[in-house]
Amino acid sequence: MKTKGEILMKTNQPNNKVEESTYALLVRSEDKKRALLETILYGLVILSALAAILQFADQPVSFGA
């Protein structure tokens, strides 16, 4: 009868090769300067969208002639 230790020892992959998810690879290779630049750019996009909305919200609405 096989013990639990013997079953776990028989794997198809060598012990030194570990598969990582795509997300884990992206997080590990993240560039800090790029992350800061993206944060600034996303903030500017959101601010410009808010400015456009506020411009239209400030205009009076006239119905009919």
Side-chain angles (χ1 to χ4, degrees), residues 1 6 14 17 21 27 47 54-55 63:
M1 182 174 182
E6 289 175 328
K17 183 182 178 196
S21 68
V27 168
L47 286 176
L54 290 175
Q55 283 179 348
F63 295 104

Side-chain angles (χ1 to χ4, degrees), residues 30-42:
E30 182 181 0
D31 185 11
K32 303 300 179 194
K33 290 180 183 178
R34 190 188 78 201
L36 178 62
L37 178 64
E38 286 178 355
T39 302
I40 292 169
L41 287 176
Y42 288 141

Side-chain angles (χ1 to χ4, degrees), residues 45-62:
V45 167
I46 291 170
L47 286 176
S48 66
L50 285 174
I53 291 169
L54 290 175
Q55 283 179 348
F56 285 109
D58 193 34
Q59 294 180 355
V61 178
S62 61

